[in-house]
Amino acid sequence: MVLLAVILAALGSFLLLRLRADLVAEVDKALDTQAAGILADPDGGLEAMPGVSVAGLRRGETVAQLLSPTGEVRDRAGTAAPARPLVAPVMLRQVLAGQQVRAEVRAGPDGARYRVLGLRRAGRGAPTVLVVAAPLADVDRSVERLRLLLLVAGPIALVLAGGGGWLLARAALRPVGRMTEQAEAIGADRLHDRVSVPDAADELTRLARTLNGMLDRIEHGVVEQRRFVADASHELRTPLAVMRAELEVALRADDPAADASEVLDSTAEEVARMSKIVDDLLTLAHRDENSLELLLAPVDLGEIAAEVAGQLLPLAEEGGVQLVVEAPSVPVVADQARVTQVVTNLVDNAVKYTGAGGSVRVRVWEEASGGALAVTDTGPGIGPEDLPKVFDRFFRLDAARTRARGGSGLGLAICRELVEAHGGRIWAESVPGAGSTFTLTLPAQPPAAIHQPPP
Ligand code: ADP
């Protein structure tokens, strides 16, 4: 509104000045005509003033004076024409020097304002000065009227524009207020709530959609996190319950020492299982926090595959599974322990889930961008609906069966995090009933960003 007031004031001032200048120009034009009429007769008196007799000049009309070079009034016309010269001595000198002089002066008994034109009049004798003057009362009245009009209309326009603008802004911002209230009400306990999307195709609609999209992602993340915590607690509770039951039974026995070795064996097994789960959870937590540290060094993917196969050969033989390895030397830069962990997990799964008489094949090859490794088995395979989920945390196809085999459902999730931490990719393909293939690729050199410790 301040800006609008300044603009209106500037516009009003300009209008007033312009109107006054135009009206004064009109007066000047009339003065020019009258002066020309008088000058047409170089020796005549002021009676020659066209359309105006000396006696007929009334108060408030054009007046005229003829001045001697020294400034005495020789002749005058018009009732308001004063006995003293209408022009100051400076102007007189300028006129005598040949200049046409225009000015505004006050004259007459009531000091009214006049527009004056001074001209040199060369007659037979010494040159005289002709001064014609017209009152500016009409001009001043017109300007004053416009000024009053602007003084009344300006504030009204200002109030109307300000009020209209305020109402408009309020109406336009009402949805923002509503969205703000709704967004403020959304907390961890009301994550399914959304802000209402205004019914228009504008920025606010986009903002509301963006907010809702963000809430979708946050809700998804929180739900995942809650499920993860619930799953983790559940996983840890099972071995703890087993241990507790066994310890209680042993302690209640008449001779606890007799069964001690068996109970300790079983307890150690459960502790080992829990340690593995806690290690896995820690690895995932580090990865989630972006603080998983990789000890990068040149390693041979083929060597790792051969070593893992060698370690798991007894397990495969025990389960009647044939284990085949094709592992040429493929150098990559990676964290040896982490890659070994991934390959062990894949081969271990393949051996675990392939029944007796089946086979597992581990293959390593070089690629343009680094190395690749695939573990193919002739096991039961994975259905297409489960295939995208096998890398999810705590996902197990058949929970009871796999837990009995020691699986917690974190193995493949960790594999994916570790491979991705190296800048690689891992995926699964399967034909249900015929077997599965888990493939991973590792870049020859992990991207630079991976070397930097997180901020
Ligand atoms: P787990 O510790 O239970 O083995 P993983 O994350 O390693 O957990 O695997 C998740 C699930 O994917 C397993 O429970 C199993 O049902 C399925 N799975 C993994 N590897 C294979 C495979 N080679 N053949 C068939 N199913 C598999």
Side-chain angles (χ1 to χ4, degrees):
M1 278 188 76
V2 167
L3 188 65
L4 194 62
V6 169
I7 291 172
L8 279 178
L11 196 70
S13 308
F14 172 76
L15 273 179
L16 287 172
L17 287 174
R18 195 62 249 170
L19 176 73
R20 188 163 206 291
D22 285 352
L23 290 175
V24 168
E26 285 295 315
V27 173
D28 281 347
K29 219 151 73 185
L31 287 178
D32 284 343
T33 315
Q34 280 168 341
I38 298 169
L39 290 178
D41 176 8
D43 297 313
L46 287 175
E47 299 80 6
M49 224 166 153
V52 187
S53 78
V54 177
L57 278 177
R58 288 197 318 277
R59 199 183 158 87
E61 290 176 341
T62 309
V63 299
Q65 284 182 334
L66 268 180
L67 306 177
S68 72
T70 53
E72 291 145 28
V73 180
R74 293 242 181 100
D75 196 357
R76 57 201 172 108
T79 36
R84 48 184 192 78
L86 272 167
V87 291
V90 188
M91 270 179 70
L92 195 69
R93 277 198 296 279
Q94 286 172 345
V95 175
L96 284 170
Q99 275 181 39
Q100 213 185 47
V101 173
R102 292 181 201 274
E104 282 176 25
V105 300
R106 290 191 175 274
D110 48 0
R113 276 152 38 78
Y114 280 82
R115 179 74 176 166
V116 169
L117 166 66
L119 288 166
R120 201 170 95 121
R121 185 189 194 221
R124 251 168 292 157
T128 50
V129 171
L130 169 67
V131 179
V132 278
L136 286 172
D138 283 349
V139 173
D140 286 345
R141 210 173 302 122
S142 300
V143 171
E144 185 58 21
R145 207 174 299 141
L146 180 65
R147 201 171 69 90
L148 278 175
L149 201 75
L150 288 177
L151 278 181
V152 174
I156 293 178
L158 201 63
V159 168
L160 284 180
W166 184 74
L167 285 176
L168 213 71
R170 219 170 63 134
L173 292 181
R174 200 169 297 133
V176 178
R178 205 170 47 229
M179 274 158 58
T180 309
E181 278 168 22
Q182 289 168 338
E184 270 168 358
I186 295 175
D189 52 333
R190 290 181 58 183
L191 269 179
H192 50 277
D193 284 3
R194 295 288 177 270
V195 302
S196 47
V197 179
D199 189 20
D202 59 10
E203 262 64 36
L204 287 183
T205 310
R206 262 185 57 204
L207 178 67
R209 293 225 171 95
T210 309
L211 273 178
N212 284 343
M214 187 182 77
L215 285 169
D216 284 345
R217 293 193 294 278
I218 291 176
E219 185 184 10
H220 180 72
V222 169
V223 167
E224 288 247 295
Q225 205 71 35
R226 284 179 185 158
R227 202 177 54 218
F228 180 62
V229 171
D231 288 348
S233 316
H234 185 76
E235 276 316 310
L236 289 172
R237 208 177 54 175
T238 313
L240 275 174
V242 171
M243 272 160 61
R244 209 171 110 189
E246 284 178 347
L247 286 172
E248 277 175 2
V249 169
L251 284 173
R252 256 190 246 129
D254 296 337
D255 180 11
D259 296 332
S261 138
E262 199 179 315
V263 172
L264 284 178
D265 268 355
S266 162
T267 310
E269 205 176 285
E270 295 301 333
V271 168
R273 182 202 283 246
M274 274 167 57
S275 298
K276 166 99 174 57
I277 295 175
V278 171
D279 280 350
D280 287 352
L281 287 176
L282 265 178
T283 305
L284 289 173
H286 279 312
R287 178 71 179 138
D288 288 348
E289 274 191 328
N290 252 340
S291 62
L292 188 73
E293 279 191 30
L294 296 178
L295 297 172
L296 295 177
V299 297
D300 187 339
L301 198 55
E303 223 170 77
I304 291 178
E307 207 173 290
V308 169
Q311 270 170 10
L312 291 178
L313 196 57
L315 185 75
E317 279 170 354
E318 195 184 305
V321 176
Q322 191 195 359
L323 183 56
V324 186
V325 189
E326 279 171 42
S329 167
V330 175
V332 290
V333 171
D335 183 324
Q336 168 118 23
R338 298 300 198 182
V339 175
T340 305
Q341 187 181 352
V342 172
V343 179
T344 306
N345 227 318
L346 295 180
V347 179
D348 182 52
N349 273 352
V351 170
K352 238 174 16 183
Y353 297 115
T354 305
S359 71
V360 171
R361 185 161 154 242
V362 183
R363 208 159 57 87
V364 175
W365 69 96
E366 193 157 3
E367 290 211 325
S369 57
L373 178 145
V375 181
T376 306
D377 63 51
T378 57
I382 303 163
E385 68 287 351
D386 290 324
L387 206 52
K389 297 191 226 151
V390 289
F391 292 100
D392 288 354
R393 297 173 185 188
F394 293 114
F395 176 80
R396 282 178 298 219
L397 244 62
D398 177 351
R401 190 163 55 97
T402 53
R403 188 181 289 133
R405 295 181 190 187
S408 64
L410 286 177
L412 287 177
I414 299 236
C415 287
R416 185 176 63 181
E417 297 297 352
L418 291 179
V419 169
E420 286 179 357
H422 279 87
R425 250 170 35 81
I426 183 166
W427 66 93
E429 289 151 298
S430 180
V431 179
S436 327
T437 299
F438 286 80
T439 313
L440 68 87
T441 60
L442 286 178
Q445 174 80 41
I450 287 172
H451 298 277
Q452 288 159 11

